[in-house]
Amino acid sequence: MIKVEGLYHSYNRDGDYAVKNASFEVPKGEVFGFLGPSGAGKSTTQGILTGLLRLQEGKVNVAGYDVKELKRSMFNKIGMSFEQSNVYSALTARENLRFYSKLFDVPTEDPDTLLKLVGLFDVADKKAGEFSKGMKHRLTFARSMMNNPELWFLDEPTTGLDPAIAATIKEIVREKNKQGVTIFLTTHNMYIADELCNRVAFIVDGEIKLIDSPRNLKLQYGQNLVDVEYGDGGSLKKETFSTVDERDIKKLQELIGRKHIATMHTKEATLEEIFIKVTGRELV
Amino acid sequence: MKKMLTIFGRDVRVNMKNFMAVFIILFPIVMAIGINLFTPGINDTTVNLALLSKDTEMAAYYEDFAKVETFATQGEVENRVAQRDNVVGILPEENGNYYILTQGNEPKEAVVEYAQVLKALYELDAQVADSNAVLHNFGKTVPPLKNTLVNAMILMISILGGMLISLNIVEEKMDNTVSAINVAPISRTAWVFGKSLMGLLLPLVGSFALVLITGFTYINFLQLAAVVVASALISIIVGFVQGLNADDMMTAVAGIKMMMLPMIGSVIGAELVSQKWQWCFYWSPFYWMYKANGIVLSGAGEWPKLLLDTGLVLVITALIFAYQAPRIRKGLEKV
């Protein structure tokens, strides 16, 4: 669904690249996470893929379209949910969606269905300018589904949302993916990436450092540890054991036999820890 | 085309919710009513007479030369004359002669003496057919002040079209909605044309409403449309430039208002400056628009002169567009 080869982009065309030699493929039906700190080149890459930025160097094919010779019909196939909500303040939520639906050449969703999906149906006739930040974000998110996209770009889809709404958004993303929608998720939130993505790419300073599934990354870079809390002479003690180190395994077995175990948890490395380990950078 | 109209429809919907935009849209009608109130209308130059209804023969004679109202009693005629407007009463005396009744503050030559002459002509039984005078005229049927005001208002309305474009673009910038349009299957050209429609239709509809309300019903409306479209183009360009470069509504409006200076200057120049200094205003498209509008409002229908003036407007507009095109292109890439 997306194929990128040798992508470079310099805003001032001066050799100072925001994206350097990026290459990756996203097959149909995958949720692909594009992860990195602010200024890493995530938005630049996404901007090129969605035609918001002009392709300078490299080959980019999106939904069967060569981005070098962008055709507007490509946007009938893709949806884009922006990080910064961008809806018409003077129009109501329903008017916003109705207006946008008229711009497509393909059958579109009913605005009310989308508003119900994101929990805004009750305020469908309220001006978007009177919405809270979270409500505007949901309206922007709803609008991106208007044309039932085959390829869906999501830029920080849960940023600024309360946990309940964020959970709804994640559920919608999962459901759409089940229906076969390919998703390109740009975020610096590793938990969301971990929950939703089939594969993730780590990008830092414009370069893609690695691409793999969260599970493989955890197996490759995570440590297999167990946190144990046990009773010892009236007090509660806590120790961490490796599940691969022979000495730790022996000590853990002895502990289980001799002491009263209060809690025991396996401890996997988080994507965030792996990111720091691989790139040497924090996800700020 | 459908998407262009969608963009235009959105602008109309948003404008209808914005007080300033509604005022701009209604401005031509407000001004037309204002012009009618404060200048003598084309049909209002006649004298109004109040007579008794029994004087039917007299009323029939006067109706060829004045607006006649008839009343049942002398008291009613007196009440009518006493009202604010200029109505002259012609009433019978006891001896059978007729006298003229006025409030006393009517214009002497234009109203009172005209009524006196009319009365004398009636008494002499003079008819228009009796006159051997041959009529010649310059084709001017409208009071010059009214002509000037309507002409200047047509120019003003074209500027207001640009102001609306500017407001609509600034609104999109403030909401950051152009990025959403950029990922929709609509071309940049369709968006620009959709946004421009307001700058074309407001001047067209507004100017037509203005001339109709102010009584210029005899003009060639095709000629008016030609001049208004040519005039609107320059406002559309300036509207885009201001909209793309302003960050808030007030800055955009202020930028467009600057266009009023050359507009007013051109009108004053064309009307008051002597012929030998007229060349000083040749650079101004408003000067040529004003000239072209003058031809249209005269109803004389001189196409060659009209096309020459309109052509000059288009040439100056093309030069302005060539100068501003890089700013517009850059502004469109930024939004």
Side-chain angles (χ1 to χ4, degrees):
Chain A
M1 191 54 94
I2 299 175
K3 191 172 181 185
V4 176
E5 279 178 63
L7 178 65
Y8 285 84
H9 192 86
S10 168
Y11 281 98
N12 297 318
R13 291 178 179 265
D14 58 357
D16 183 14
Y17 290 105
V19 177
K20 282 177 252 177
N21 196 24
S23 299
F24 59 91
E25 278 186 52
V26 181
K28 189 170 168 51
E30 185 174 72
V31 182
F32 186 80
F34 211 56
L35 315 180
S38 302
K42 303 190 298 285
S43 298
T44 306
T45 306
Q46 188 177 262
I48 295 164
L49 298 185
T50 53
L52 289 171
L53 289 172
R54 197 165 289 175
L55 176 64
Q56 293 174 352
E57 260 185 271
K59 286 182 185 170
V60 177
N61 190 290
V62 173
Y65 289 85
D66 183 353
V67 170
K68 188 85 181 170
E69 286 151 22
L70 193 67
K71 288 193 172 69
R72 302 309 297 181
S73 56
M74 179 181 93
F75 297 107
N76 285 315
K77 288 186 169 186
I78 71 171
M80 172 79 205
S81 178
F82 293 85
E83 180 184 6
Q84 302 285 337
S85 50
N86 51 0
V87 292
Y88 293 107
S89 303
L91 298 182
T92 66
R94 189 181 279 125
E95 286 172 339
N96 262 287
L97 296 188
R98 273 194 190 145
F99 162 71
Y100 207 67
S101 72
K102 288 178 190 164
L103 300 178
F104 291 98
D105 310 307
V106 291
T108 51
E109 275 286 354
D110 172 40
D112 286 355
T113 306
L114 292 177
L115 290 172
K116 278 177 195 160
L117 200 61
V118 297
L120 290 175
F121 183 68
D122 291 344
V123 287
D125 294 318
K126 195 173 174 181
K127 275 187 189 177
E130 295 165 17
F131 279 7
S132 68
K133 199 176 165 190
M135 289 162 88
K136 282 183 186 171
H137 193 83
R138 278 187 275 161
L139 185 56
T140 305
F141 180 80
R143 188 184 59 199
S144 69
M145 291 184 273
M146 181 52 80
N147 55 327
N148 289 308
E150 292 174 28
L151 173 59
W152 198 12
F153 288 91
L154 301 176
D155 194 355
E156 306 286 1
T158 57
T159 300
L161 298 180
D162 67 57
I165 300 292
T168 307
I169 297 288
K170 281 186 274 187
E171 198 43 51
I172 293 170
V173 173
R174 280 194 200 99
E175 190 53 42
K176 284 282 175 189
N177 183 238
K178 268 187 205 166
Q179 291 166 14
V181 177
T182 309
I183 295 161
F184 188 90
L185 174 72
T186 307
T187 186
H188 66 268
N189 185 329
M190 293 292 170
Y191 297 102
I192 287 175
D194 200 0
E195 280 183 73
L196 296 176
C197 297
N198 302 118
R199 286 191 306 146
V200 293
F202 288 171
I203 180 168
V204 173
D205 296 332
E207 289 180 82
I208 293 178
K209 298 293 183 186
L210 65 77
I211 300 176
D212 211 333
S213 69
R215 181 180 160 74
N216 284 348
L217 288 173
K218 284 175 191 172
L219 288 174
Q220 192 179 347
Y221 292 96
Q223 284 182 301
N224 296 321
L225 302 171
V226 179
D227 278 338
V228 181
E229 280 186 325
Y230 59 93
D232 186 19
S235 65
L236 200 62
K237 287 190 173 173
K238 188 178 174 184
E239 272 189 74
T240 301
F241 299 95
S242 166
T243 56
V244 289
D245 184 274
E246 284 298 326
R247 283 189 307 169
D248 271 17
I249 292 170
K250 206 171 176 183
K251 275 172 77 179
L252 181 60
Q253 283 169 342
E254 282 174 12
L255 196 69
I256 294 168
R258 286 191 291 111
K259 304 285 182 185
H260 168 68
I261 305 296
T263 64
M264 186 159 68
H265 297 287
T266 55
K267 191 184 171 199
E268 293 170 331
T270 64
L271 265 188
E272 185 157 5
E273 286 165 343
I274 297 167
F275 185 90
I276 294 165
K277 198 168 183 178
V278 171
T279 66
R281 296 280 293 274
E282 296 268 350
L283 273 164
V284 184
Chain B
M1 185 66 183
K2 185 181 139 249
K3 290 177 186 175
M4 226 165 75
L5 291 175
T6 300
I7 298 290
F8 172 66
R10 189 217 74 91
D11 283 354
V12 172
R13 191 179 284 271
V14 169
N15 289 155
M16 287 303 159
K17 297 180 180 187
N18 179 320
F19 174 76
M20 193 195 292
V22 170
F23 177 73
I24 289 171
I25 290 167
L26 294 179
F27 182 81
I29 293 167
V30 174
M31 284 316 295
I33 294 167
I35 289 171
N36 275 352
L37 283 177
F38 294 109
T39 62
I42 298 165
N43 301 317
D44 296 340
T45 49
T46 185
V47 166
N48 299 299
L49 299 177
L51 308 177
L52 287 174
S53 13
K54 70 179 177 66
D55 292 327
T56 49
E57 193 187 328
M58 187 191 284
Y61 182 87
Y62 287 149
E63 269 170 359
D64 288 340
F65 310 101
K67 196 181 274 180
V68 177
E69 293 175 61
T70 56
F71 300 89
T73 65
Q74 191 148 340
E76 285 176 28
V77 172
E78 286 170 2
N79 287 339
R80 181 66 189 88
V81 172
Q83 285 176 21
R84 286 176 68 90
D85 53 348
N86 292 328
V87 176
V88 175
I90 300 180
L91 292 167
E93 290 179 296
E94 282 176 7
N95 59 8
N97 291 333
Y98 279 77
Y99 68 94
I100 288 176
L101 175 70
T102 65
Q103 277 184 295
N105 59 358
E106 292 84 355
K108 192 167 170 253
E109 294 86 355
V111 176
V112 181
E113 289 181 357
Y114 180 77
Q116 283 179 300
V117 170
L118 271 186
K119 181 174 171 288
L121 287 171
Y122 171 69
E123 284 163 4
L124 292 169
D125 194 25
Q127 301 296 328
V128 174
D130 299 333
S131 169
N132 61 358
V134 178
L135 283 176
H136 293 274
N137 65 55
F138 293 112
K140 309 249 180 188
T141 53
V142 184
L145 176 62
K146 184 169 193 169
N147 210 327
T148 302
L149 283 175
V150 171
N151 192 333
M153 278 310 127
I154 294 172
L155 302 187
M156 174 88 95
I157 292 166
S158 78
I159 291 176
L160 293 179
M163 197 179 276
L164 269 191
I165 290 177
S166 181
L167 288 178
N168 288 329
I169 292 175
V170 169
E171 180 238 352
E172 293 245 18
K173 281 172 72 179
M174 287 167 79
D175 284 337
N176 193 26
T177 41
V178 183
S179 52
I181 296 290
N182 284 339
V183 291
I186 174 173
S187 68
R188 183 50 67 91
T189 313
W191 185 80
V192 168
F193 276 100
K195 285 275 166 206
S196 304
L197 266 182
M198 185 63 86
L200 196 64
L201 289 181
L202 176 70
L204 267 177
V205 176
S207 299
F208 276 51
L210 177 75
V211 296
L212 287 173
I213 293 170
T214 49
F216 288 82
T217 49
Y218 55 84
I219 63 166
N220 183 331
F221 283 89
L222 189 63
Q223 288 182 340
L224 178 67
V227 180
V228 169
V229 169
S231 309
L233 292 178
I234 200 161
S235 299
I236 290 170
I237 293 168
V238 177
F240 264 95
V241 171
Q242 288 302 324
L244 292 169
N245 290 293
D247 291 324
D248 58 78
M249 301 271 181
M250 294 323 290
T251 312
V253 170
I256 296 284
K257 271 160 68 182
M258 289 303 287
M259 280 178 80
M260 305 264 181
L261 278 177
M263 190 274 274
I264 294 167
S266 300
V267 172
I268 292 172
E271 284 294 332
L272 302 178
V273 174
S274 70
Q275 197 60 42
K276 70 173 180 176
W277 293 108
Q278 288 284 312
W279 60 267
C280 296
F281 300 94
Y282 286 179
W283 61 271
S284 168
F286 295 106
Y287 176 83
W288 299 110
M289 289 175 205
Y290 186 75
K291 291 270 184 195
N293 282 338
I295 294 169
V296 175
L297 294 177
S298 74
E302 300 166 28
W303 272 106
K305 180 80 175 73
L306 183 88
L307 290 176
L308 177 67
D309 289 349
T310 309
L312 284 167
V313 173
L314 290 174
V315 167
I316 297 169
T317 304
L319 291 173
I320 291 171
F321 180 72
Y323 177 68
Q324 294 288 358
R327 281 183 82 189
I328 295 175
R329 203 174 298 124
K330 206 171 168 186
L332 284 170
E333 281 169 10
K334 267 199 307 184
V335 293

